Amino acid sequence: MGDLYLLFILRIPLQLQRIYAQSSAIRFRLRQMSLSSLHLAHMLDPMRCGSLSSSQLREGFRMLRIPIEDNDVNDIMACFDINGDGVLTYEEFEKFLTFPSRKIDDQ
């Protein structure tokens, strides 16, 4: 089974592997801190606009002490900003955090 798993992993584009790793890291840290994804979104969006910019997302990683490169933030935004408005709505943010357990294009 290990060889089959390795073959599967090697076929996933590197970009998606990094996004999955970042998503997993945030989920793990949220569980450690007993925080919900919505609580984190509200912490990052003090004006309660209902969305997160790339800088707010980057700040979230910093707050959770998870290192992230700018190109990874850009990849997350490109993959999960479904409506293309340049920010992640709370729903889009939740889809990132549950990746790949939900389809990206679920509405």
Side-chain angles (χ1 to χ4, degrees):
M1 180 169 166
D3 291 338
L4 181 60
Y5 177 75
L6 182 60
L7 180 62
F8 174 74
I9 291 298
L10 291 176
R11 290 181 176 222
I12 297 174
L14 184 57
Q15 174 189 28
L16 292 180
Q17 289 180 40
R18 287 195 326 263
I19 289 172
Y20 175 72
Q22 298 297 348
S23 172
S24 296
I26 287 182
R27 286 192 309 267
F28 178 76
R29 191 71 65 164
L30 288 175
R31 278 193 304 274
Q32 283 184 322
M33 299 172 75
S34 299
L35 293 176
S36 70
S37 57
L38 184 59
H39 188 257
L40 176 61
H42 285 165
M43 288 170 52
L44 299 175
D45 180 24
M47 301 294 288
R48 298 293 197 274
C49 297
S51 60
L52 302 173
S53 67
S54 59
S55 61
Q56 289 170 315
L57 183 60
R58 192 175 297 105
E59 175 65 13
F61 279 96
R62 190 196 66 71
M63 283 175 48
L64 297 173
R65 294 191 171 99
I66 300 171
I68 190 164
E69 300 290 326
D70 286 343
N71 62 327
D72 290 333
V73 171
N74 295 338
D75 288 346
I76 291 167
M77 297 298 287
C79 287
F80 291 92
D81 178 17
I82 307 301
N83 62 10
D85 62 356
V87 294
L88 294 182
T89 63
Y90 290 172
E91 182 180 352
E92 292 166 337
F93 180 63
E94 181 68 26
K95 287 182 182 186
F96 160 63
L97 292 180
T98 59
F99 178 76
S101 61
R102 278 197 216 164
K103 291 182 184 175
I104 294 173
D105 59 354
D106 282 351
Q107 295 298 325

